[in-house]
Amino acid sequence: MSMSKIQILALSVGLSSAFSPVAFAQAASAPASAPASTPAGPAPTRIGVLNIQEAILASEEGKKEFDALQQKFNPKQAELKTQNDEVEKLKKDLETQGPKLNDDERASRARVIETKQKALQRNYEDAQAEYQQQEQELANRIGQKVLTTVQKYAEAHGYAIVLDVSNPQTSPVLWATQGTVITKEVVDAFNAENPAGAPAARPAGAAASRPAAPAPKPAPPATSAPTPKRP
């Protein structure tokens, strides 16, 4: 597969892994503290189902921020494609002209290709790692804000628990009626609380939380020559 067919810096599928399930359960189901002068009402009994990954990406802030991130890395993606095209052309030239070259010339060209291929591989891996780090930090930051909205929505509408179904492999939910799915309602509430035009400020001194598991990585650029293994 050529570099031009690879979405090198596309959004990872593993955004749901960027949040701790324990933290999500605590934030989504923690009961509100009732004022001392207000009698406690009936205990909430409803169960809600939420796709937090979908909520993050569907929110106005999420769409704006992830689009900006993609635009930021578009020049790097174009640079990698140019490097890959150069390597592919050198390989094709060597393949077609090889029989006409002497051994020294063939070996010299092969070394040039190998050097450029290694440089391309390093640049690709560096760009991919940088993009995924920023993507996960962005998902964490917006995700924590979404959790705050989930808690408010759950308390206001009598939900005793809200379950995340972003990852079918880890979600305990096997089936749910449409009436229990509150993803759209949460997105609407989040958009109302967080206008997309307002910059998303990070609390002073707060560090972005690390993901619970690394996001899956796309395949490296394809070549006929061996590529260095990742450490």
Side-chain angles (χ1 to χ4, degrees), residues 127-182:
Q128 182 68 14
E130 182 182 359
Y131 180 86
Q132 288 185 338
Q133 179 182 358
Q134 294 187 31
E135 176 196 57
Q136 290 172 349
E137 290 176 353
L138 181 57
N140 281 332
R141 175 166 55 78
I142 299 178
Q144 292 301 321
K145 295 171 68 175
V146 170
L147 292 182
T148 299
T149 299
V150 171
Q151 181 174 349
K152 292 178 181 178
Y153 184 90
E155 292 170 350
H157 294 82
Y159 284 91
I161 186 171
V162 176
L163 301 174
D164 179 26
V165 294
S166 296
N167 190 338
Q169 297 179 343
T170 59
S171 172
V173 179
L174 299 179
W175 179 86
T177 63
Q178 186 60 34
T180 63
V181 180
I182 61 172

Short mmCIF file of all heavy atoms in Angstrom, two decimals, residues 127-182:
data_model
loop_
_atom_site.label_atom_id
_atom_site.label_comp_id
_atom_site.label_asym_id
_atom_site.label_seq_id
_atom_site.Cartn_x
_atom_site.Cartn_y
_atom_site.Cartn_z
N ALA A 127 6.04 11.40 13.67
CA ALA A 127 4.82 12.17 13.41
C ALA A 127 3.60 11.44 13.98
O ALA A 127 2.71 12.06 14.57
CB ALA A 127 4.65 12.39 11.91
N GLN A 128 3.58 10.12 13.81
CA GLN A 128 2.45 9.35 14.32
C GLN A 128 2.37 9.42 15.84
O GLN A 128 1.29 9.60 16.41
CB GLN A 128 2.58 7.88 13.87
CG GLN A 128 1.43 6.98 14.31
CD GLN A 128 0.13 7.34 13.61
OE1 GLN A 128 0.14 8.07 12.62
NE2 GLN A 128 -0.98 6.85 14.12
N ALA A 129 3.51 9.30 16.49
CA ALA A 129 3.53 9.35 17.96
C ALA A 129 3.10 10.72 18.47
O ALA A 129 2.34 10.83 19.43
CB ALA A 129 4.93 9.00 18.48
N GLU A 130 3.59 11.78 17.81
CA GLU A 130 3.23 13.13 18.23
C GLU A 130 1.74 13.38 18.03
O GLU A 130 1.07 13.96 18.89
CB GLU A 130 4.04 14.15 17.43
CG GLU A 130 3.77 15.60 17.83
CD GLU A 130 4.56 16.60 17.01
OE1 GLU A 130 5.33 16.16 16.11
OE2 GLU A 130 4.38 17.81 17.23
N TYR A 131 1.22 12.93 16.89
CA TYR A 131 -0.21 13.13 16.61
C TYR A 131 -1.07 12.39 17.63
O TYR A 131 -2.02 12.94 18.18
CB TYR A 131 -0.55 12.65 15.21
CG TYR A 131 -2.02 12.83 14.87
CD1 TYR A 131 -2.48 14.03 14.35
CD2 TYR A 131 -2.93 11.80 15.08
CE1 TYR A 131 -3.83 14.21 14.06
CE2 TYR A 131 -4.27 11.97 14.79
CZ TYR A 131 -4.71 13.17 14.27
OH TYR A 131 -6.04 13.34 14.00
N GLN A 132 -0.74 11.14 17.88
CA GLN A 132 -1.55 10.35 18.80
C GLN A 132 -1.50 10.90 20.22
O GLN A 132 -2.50 10.86 20.94
CB GLN A 132 -1.12 8.88 18.77
CG GLN A 132 -1.52 8.19 17.48
CD GLN A 132 -1.20 6.72 17.49
OE1 GLN A 132 -0.34 6.25 18.24
NE2 GLN A 132 -1.86 5.96 16.64
N GLN A 133 -0.34 11.42 20.62
CA GLN A 133 -0.25 12.01 21.95
C GLN A 133 -1.18 13.22 22.06
O GLN A 133 -1.93 13.35 23.04
CB GLN A 133 1.19 12.41 22.26
CG GLN A 133 1.33 13.07 23.63
CD GLN A 133 2.75 13.52 23.93
OE1 GLN A 133 3.66 13.31 23.13
NE2 GLN A 133 2.96 14.15 25.06
N GLN A 134 -1.13 14.09 21.06
CA GLN A 134 -1.98 15.27 21.10
C GLN A 134 -3.45 14.90 20.96
O GLN A 134 -4.33 15.52 21.58
CB GLN A 134 -1.57 16.25 20.00
CG GLN A 134 -0.18 16.82 20.21
CD GLN A 134 0.17 17.92 19.22
OE1 GLN A 134 -0.70 18.67 18.76
NE2 GLN A 134 1.44 18.05 18.88
N GLU A 135 -3.74 13.89 20.16
CA GLU A 135 -5.11 13.42 19.99
C GLU A 135 -5.67 12.89 21.31
O GLU A 135 -6.80 13.20 21.70
CB GLU A 135 -5.16 12.33 18.93
CG GLU A 135 -6.53 11.69 18.74
CD GLU A 135 -6.43 10.39 17.99
OE1 GLU A 135 -5.70 9.48 18.44
OE2 GLU A 135 -7.08 10.29 16.94
N GLN A 136 -4.89 12.11 22.02
CA GLN A 136 -5.34 11.53 23.27
C GLN A 136 -5.49 12.58 24.36
O GLN A 136 -6.41 12.52 25.17
CB GLN A 136 -4.37 10.41 23.70
CG GLN A 136 -4.45 9.20 22.79
CD GLN A 136 -3.36 8.18 23.06
OE1 GLN A 136 -2.42 8.44 23.79
NE2 GLN A 136 -3.48 7.00 22.46
N GLU A 137 -4.56 13.55 24.38
CA GLU A 137 -4.70 14.64 25.35
C GLU A 137 -5.97 15.43 25.08
O GLU A 137 -6.68 15.84 26.02
CB GLU A 137 -3.46 15.54 25.29
CG GLU A 137 -2.20 14.89 25.83
CD GLU A 137 -0.97 15.76 25.67
OE1 GLU A 137 -1.09 16.82 25.01
OE2 GLU A 137 0.09 15.40 26.19
N LEU A 138 -6.25 15.65 23.80
CA LEU A 138 -7.47 16.37 23.43
C LEU A 138 -8.71 15.57 23.82
O LEU A 138 -9.68 16.12 24.37
CB LEU A 138 -7.46 16.63 21.92
CG LEU A 138 -8.64 17.40 21.32
CD1 LEU A 138 -8.79 18.75 22.00
CD2 LEU A 138 -8.43 17.56 19.82
N ALA A 139 -8.69 14.27 23.56
CA ALA A 139 -9.82 13.43 23.92
C ALA A 139 -10.02 13.40 25.43
O ALA A 139 -11.15 13.43 25.92
CB ALA A 139 -9.61 12.00 23.39
N ASN A 140 -8.92 13.34 26.17
CA ASN A 140 -9.02 13.35 27.63
C ASN A 140 -9.64 14.64 28.14
O ASN A 140 -10.51 14.64 29.01
CB ASN A 140 -7.62 13.19 28.25
CG ASN A 140 -7.14 11.75 28.25
OD1 ASN A 140 -7.93 10.84 28.29
ND2 ASN A 140 -5.84 11.57 28.18
N ARG A 141 -9.16 15.77 27.59
CA ARG A 141 -9.63 17.07 28.08
C ARG A 141 -11.12 17.26 27.80
O ARG A 141 -11.89 17.63 28.69
CB ARG A 141 -8.83 18.19 27.41
CG ARG A 141 -9.32 19.57 27.77
CD ARG A 141 -8.31 20.64 27.38
NE ARG A 141 -7.92 20.59 26.00
CZ ARG A 141 -8.67 21.06 25.00
NH1 ARG A 141 -9.86 21.58 25.26
NH2 ARG A 141 -8.23 21.02 23.76
N ILE A 142 -11.55 16.98 26.56
CA ILE A 142 -12.97 17.12 26.24
C ILE A 142 -13.78 16.05 26.96
O ILE A 142 -14.89 16.29 27.43
CB ILE A 142 -13.19 17.05 24.72
CG1 ILE A 142 -12.44 18.18 24.02
CG2 ILE A 142 -14.68 17.11 24.38
CD1 ILE A 142 -12.56 18.16 22.51
N GLY A 143 -13.21 14.86 27.06
CA GLY A 143 -13.92 13.76 27.72
C GLY A 143 -14.24 14.05 29.17
O GLY A 143 -15.32 13.72 29.65
N GLN A 144 -13.31 14.67 29.87
CA GLN A 144 -13.57 15.00 31.27
C GLN A 144 -14.70 16.02 31.39
O GLN A 144 -15.52 15.96 32.31
CB GLN A 144 -12.29 15.56 31.92
CG GLN A 144 -11.18 14.53 32.08
CD GLN A 144 -11.60 13.33 32.92
OE1 GLN A 144 -12.31 13.48 33.90
NE2 GLN A 144 -11.17 12.15 32.51
N LYS A 145 -14.77 16.94 30.44
CA LYS A 145 -15.86 17.91 30.44
C LYS A 145 -17.18 17.23 30.11
O LYS A 145 -18.23 17.57 30.67
CB LYS A 145 -15.56 19.02 29.43
CG LYS A 145 -14.35 19.86 29.80
CD LYS A 145 -13.95 20.81 28.69
CE LYS A 145 -14.98 21.89 28.47
NZ LYS A 145 -14.54 22.88 27.46
N VAL A 146 -17.14 16.25 29.21
CA VAL A 146 -18.37 15.50 28.88
C VAL A 146 -18.86 14.75 30.12
O VAL A 146 -20.06 14.68 30.38
CB VAL A 146 -18.12 14.53 27.72
CG1 VAL A 146 -19.32 13.59 27.53
CG2 VAL A 146 -17.88 15.30 26.42
N LEU A 147 -17.94 14.19 30.89
CA LEU A 147 -18.33 13.46 32.10
C LEU A 147 -19.04 14.38 33.08
O LEU A 147 -19.99 13.95 33.77
CB LEU A 147 -17.10 12.84 32.76
CG LEU A 147 -16.42 11.71 32.00
CD1 LEU A 147 -15.25 11.15 32.79
CD2 LEU A 147 -17.39 10.60 31.66
N THR A 148 -18.59 15.62 33.17
CA THR A 148 -19.27 16.57 34.05
C THR A 148 -20.70 16.80 33.58
O THR A 148 -21.64 16.84 34.38
CB THR A 148 -18.51 17.92 34.06
OG1 THR A 148 -17.18 17.70 34.56
CG2 THR A 148 -19.22 18.93 34.95
N THR A 149 -20.88 16.91 32.27
CA THR A 149 -22.23 17.07 31.72
C THR A 149 -23.07 15.83 31.96
O THR A 149 -24.26 15.92 32.27
CB THR A 149 -22.15 17.35 30.20
OG1 THR A 149 -21.42 18.55 29.98
CG2 THR A 149 -23.54 17.50 29.60
N VAL A 150 -22.45 14.65 31.84
CA VAL A 150 -23.18 13.40 32.09
C VAL A 150 -23.70 13.38 33.52
O VAL A 150 -24.86 13.00 33.77
CB VAL A 150 -22.26 12.18 31.84
CG1 VAL A 150 -22.94 10.89 32.31
CG2 VAL A 150 -21.93 12.07 30.36
N GLN A 151 -22.86 13.75 34.46
CA GLN A 151 -23.28 13.73 35.86
C GLN A 151 -24.45 14.69 36.09
O GLN A 151 -25.44 14.34 36.74
CB GLN A 151 -22.12 14.11 36.78
CG GLN A 151 -22.49 14.08 38.26
CD GLN A 151 -21.30 14.31 39.16
OE1 GLN A 151 -20.16 14.29 38.71
NE2 GLN A 151 -21.55 14.53 40.43
N LYS A 152 -24.35 15.89 35.54
CA LYS A 152 -25.44 16.86 35.71
C LYS A 152 -26.73 16.34 35.08
O LYS A 152 -27.81 16.45 35.66
CB LYS A 152 -25.05 18.19 35.07
CG LYS A 152 -23.92 18.93 35.77
CD LYS A 152 -23.59 20.22 35.04
CE LYS A 152 -22.44 20.97 35.69
NZ LYS A 152 -22.09 22.20 34.93
N TYR A 153 -26.60 15.78 33.87
CA TYR A 153 -27.79 15.28 33.17
C TYR A 153 -28.41 14.11 33.93
O TYR A 153 -29.63 14.02 34.08
CB TYR A 153 -27.41 14.84 31.75
CG TYR A 153 -28.59 14.39 30.93
CD1 TYR A 153 -29.32 15.30 30.16
CD2 TYR A 153 -28.99 13.05 30.92
CE1 TYR A 153 -30.41 14.89 29.42
CE2 TYR A 153 -30.08 12.64 30.18
CZ TYR A 153 -30.79 13.56 29.43
OH TYR A 153 -31.89 13.14 28.69
N ALA A 154 -27.57 13.21 34.42
CA ALA A 154 -28.07 12.05 35.15
C ALA A 154 -28.79 12.46 36.43
O ALA A 154 -29.88 11.94 36.75
CB ALA A 154 -26.92 11.10 35.48
N GLU A 155 -28.23 13.40 37.15
CA GLU A 155 -28.85 13.87 38.39
C GLU A 155 -30.17 14.57 38.12
O GLU A 155 -31.14 14.41 38.87
CB GLU A 155 -27.89 14.80 39.13
CG GLU A 155 -26.65 14.10 39.67
CD GLU A 155 -25.60 15.08 40.18
OE1 GLU A 155 -25.77 16.30 39.93
OE2 GLU A 155 -24.63 14.63 40.81
N ALA A 156 -30.21 15.33 37.02
CA ALA A 156 -31.42 16.10 36.71
C ALA A 156 -32.55 15.23 36.20
O ALA A 156 -33.72 15.59 36.31
CB ALA A 156 -31.10 17.19 35.70
N HIS A 157 -32.22 14.05 35.63
CA HIS A 157 -33.24 13.22 35.02
C HIS A 157 -33.43 11.88 35.72
O HIS A 157 -34.05 10.97 35.18
CB HIS A 157 -32.91 12.99 33.54
CG HIS A 157 -32.97 14.24 32.71
ND1 HIS A 157 -31.92 15.15 32.66
CD2 HIS A 157 -33.94 14.75 31.91
CE1 HIS A 157 -32.26 16.15 31.86
NE2 HIS A 157 -33.47 15.94 31.40
N GLY A 158 -32.91 11.76 36.90
CA GLY A 158 -33.18 10.58 37.71
C GLY A 158 -32.48 9.31 37.29
O GLY A 158 -33.03 8.21 37.46
N TYR A 159 -31.26 9.41 36.76
CA TYR A 159 -30.51 8.22 36.37
C TYR A 159 -29.65 7.75 37.55
O TYR A 159 -28.90 8.52 38.13
CB TYR A 159 -29.62 8.49 35.17
CG TYR A 159 -30.38 8.57 33.87
CD1 TYR A 159 -30.88 9.78 33.41
CD2 TYR A 159 -30.62 7.42 33.12
CE1 TYR A 159 -31.60 9.86 32.23
CE2 TYR A 159 -31.34 7.49 31.94
CZ TYR A 159 -31.82 8.71 31.50
OH TYR A 159 -32.54 8.77 30.32
N ALA A 160 -29.79 6.46 37.88
CA ALA A 160 -28.98 5.90 38.95
C ALA A 160 -27.59 5.51 38.46
O ALA A 160 -26.62 5.51 39.22
CB ALA A 160 -29.67 4.67 39.54
N ILE A 161 -27.49 5.19 37.17
CA ILE A 161 -26.22 4.77 36.60
C ILE A 161 -26.24 5.05 35.11
O ILE A 161 -27.29 4.99 34.47
CB ILE A 161 -25.95 3.27 36.87
CG1 ILE A 161 -24.54 2.88 36.41
CG2 ILE A 161 -27.01 2.39 36.19
CD1 ILE A 161 -24.14 1.48 36.84
N VAL A 162 -25.09 5.39 34.57
CA VAL A 162 -24.92 5.59 33.13
C VAL A 162 -23.76 4.71 32.68
O VAL A 162 -22.66 4.77 33.23
CB VAL A 162 -24.61 7.07 32.79
CG1 VAL A 162 -24.35 7.22 31.30
CG2 VAL A 162 -25.77 7.97 33.22
N LEU A 163 -24.01 3.87 31.68
CA LEU A 163 -23.03 2.91 31.20
C LEU A 163 -22.45 3.37 29.87
O LEU A 163 -23.19 3.80 28.98
CB LEU A 163 -23.66 1.53 31.04
CG LEU A 163 -24.27 0.92 32.30
CD1 LEU A 163 -25.00 -0.38 31.97
CD2 LEU A 163 -23.19 0.67 33.35
N ASP A 164 -21.13 3.26 29.73
CA ASP A 164 -20.46 3.62 28.48
C ASP A 164 -20.40 2.40 27.56
O ASP A 164 -19.94 1.33 27.97
CB ASP A 164 -19.04 4.12 28.79
CG ASP A 164 -18.28 4.48 27.52
OD1 ASP A 164 -18.90 4.84 26.51
OD2 ASP A 164 -17.03 4.41 27.56
N VAL A 165 -20.84 2.57 26.32
CA VAL A 165 -20.83 1.47 25.35
C VAL A 165 -19.89 1.78 24.18
O VAL A 165 -20.06 1.24 23.09
CB VAL A 165 -22.25 1.17 24.83
CG1 VAL A 165 -23.12 0.63 25.94
CG2 VAL A 165 -22.88 2.42 24.21
N SER A 166 -18.91 2.65 24.40
CA SER A 166 -17.98 3.01 23.33
C SER A 166 -17.22 1.80 22.80
O SER A 166 -16.97 1.69 21.61
CB SER A 166 -16.98 4.06 23.83
OG SER A 166 -17.63 5.26 24.17
N ASN A 167 -16.83 0.92 23.70
CA ASN A 167 -16.02 -0.24 23.31
C ASN A 167 -16.84 -1.51 23.49
O ASN A 167 -17.04 -1.96 24.62
CB ASN A 167 -14.74 -0.30 24.15
CG ASN A 167 -13.76 -1.33 23.62
OD1 ASN A 167 -14.13 -2.27 22.92
ND2 ASN A 167 -12.49 -1.16 23.96
N PRO A 168 -17.32 -2.11 22.40
CA PRO A 168 -18.14 -3.33 22.52
C PRO A 168 -17.41 -4.48 23.21
O PRO A 168 -18.04 -5.37 23.77
CB PRO A 168 -18.45 -3.69 21.06
CG PRO A 168 -18.25 -2.42 20.29
CD PRO A 168 -17.16 -1.69 21.01
N GLN A 169 -16.07 -4.47 23.17
CA GLN A 169 -15.31 -5.56 23.76
C GLN A 169 -15.28 -5.50 25.28
O GLN A 169 -15.08 -6.52 25.94
CB GLN A 169 -13.88 -5.56 23.21
CG GLN A 169 -13.80 -5.81 21.72
CD GLN A 169 -12.37 -5.79 21.21
OE1 GLN A 169 -11.47 -5.29 21.88
NE2 GLN A 169 -12.16 -6.31 20.02
N THR A 170 -15.47 -4.32 25.85
CA THR A 170 -15.41 -4.19 27.30
C THR A 170 -16.73 -3.75 27.92
O THR A 170 -16.88 -3.81 29.14
CB THR A 170 -14.32 -3.17 27.70
OG1 THR A 170 -14.63 -1.88 27.11
CG2 THR A 170 -12.95 -3.62 27.21
N SER A 171 -17.67 -3.32 27.10
CA SER A 171 -18.94 -2.85 27.65
C SER A 171 -19.75 -4.01 28.20
O SER A 171 -19.85 -5.07 27.58
CB SER A 171 -19.76 -2.14 26.56
OG SER A 171 -21.07 -1.86 27.03
N PRO A 172 -20.36 -3.84 29.40
CA PRO A 172 -21.20 -4.90 29.97
C PRO A 172 -22.59 -4.95 29.34
O PRO A 172 -23.37 -5.86 29.61
CB PRO A 172 -21.28 -4.52 31.45
CG PRO A 172 -21.19 -3.02 31.43
CD PRO A 172 -20.25 -2.69 30.32
N VAL A 173 -22.92 -3.98 28.48
CA VAL A 173 -24.26 -3.89 27.90
C VAL A 173 -24.35 -4.78 26.67
O VAL A 173 -23.62 -4.60 25.70
CB VAL A 173 -24.61 -2.43 27.53
CG1 VAL A 173 -25.99 -2.36 26.91
CG2 VAL A 173 -24.51 -1.54 28.75
N LEU A 174 -25.26 -5.75 26.70
CA LEU A 174 -25.50 -6.62 25.56
C LEU A 174 -26.66 -6.13 24.70
O LEU A 174 -26.70 -6.35 23.50
CB LEU A 174 -25.79 -8.05 26.04
CG LEU A 174 -24.68 -8.74 26.83
CD1 LEU A 174 -25.12 -10.13 27.26
CD2 LEU A 174 -23.40 -8.82 26.00
N TRP A 175 -27.61 -5.46 25.33
CA TRP A 175 -28.79 -4.95 24.61
C TRP A 175 -29.41 -3.84 25.44
O TRP A 175 -29.39 -3.87 26.66
CB TRP A 175 -29.80 -6.08 24.39
CG TRP A 175 -31.05 -5.63 23.69
CD1 TRP A 175 -31.25 -5.54 22.34
CD2 TRP A 175 -32.28 -5.22 24.29
NE1 TRP A 175 -32.51 -5.08 22.06
CE2 TRP A 175 -33.18 -4.89 23.25
CE3 TRP A 175 -32.71 -5.09 25.61
CZ2 TRP A 175 -34.47 -4.44 23.49
CZ3 TRP A 175 -34.00 -4.64 25.85
CH2 TRP A 175 -34.86 -4.33 24.79
N ALA A 176 -29.96 -2.86 24.76
CA ALA A 176 -30.62 -1.76 25.45
C ALA A 176 -31.68 -1.17 24.53
O ALA A 176 -31.49 -1.11 23.31
CB ALA A 176 -29.62 -0.68 25.85
N THR A 177 -32.78 -0.74 25.09
CA THR A 177 -33.82 -0.10 24.29
C THR A 177 -33.36 1.29 23.88
O THR A 177 -32.51 1.89 24.55
CB THR A 177 -35.13 0.02 25.09
OG1 THR A 177 -34.91 0.88 26.22
CG2 THR A 177 -35.61 -1.34 25.58
N GLN A 178 -33.92 1.78 22.81
CA GLN A 178 -33.52 3.09 22.32
C GLN A 178 -33.78 4.17 23.35
O GLN A 178 -33.06 5.17 23.42
CB GLN A 178 -34.29 3.41 21.02
CG GLN A 178 -33.85 4.69 20.34
CD GLN A 178 -32.39 4.67 19.92
OE1 GLN A 178 -31.86 3.63 19.55
NE2 GLN A 178 -31.73 5.81 20.01
N GLY A 179 -34.79 3.98 24.17
CA GLY A 179 -35.13 4.98 25.17
C GLY A 179 -34.09 5.16 26.25
O GLY A 179 -34.10 6.16 26.97
N THR A 180 -33.18 4.19 26.38
CA THR A 180 -32.14 4.31 27.41
C THR A 180 -30.89 5.01 26.89
O THR A 180 -30.01 5.36 27.68
CB THR A 180 -31.75 2.92 27.94
OG1 THR A 180 -31.18 2.15 26.86
CG2 THR A 180 -32.94 2.19 28.53
N VAL A 181 -30.78 5.17 25.58
CA VAL A 181 -29.59 5.78 24.99
C VAL A 181 -29.70 7.30 25.11
O VAL A 181 -30.64 7.91 24.60
CB VAL A 181 -29.44 5.38 23.50
CG1 VAL A 181 -28.20 6.04 22.90
CG2 VAL A 181 -29.36 3.87 23.37
N ILE A 182 -28.73 7.91 25.77
CA ILE A 182 -28.81 9.35 26.03
C ILE A 182 -27.64 10.10 25.40
O ILE A 182 -27.35 11.24 25.78
CB ILE A 182 -28.83 9.61 27.55
CG1 ILE A 182 -27.56 9.07 28.22
CG2 ILE A 182 -30.07 9.02 28.19
CD1 ILE A 182 -27.43 9.45 29.69
#
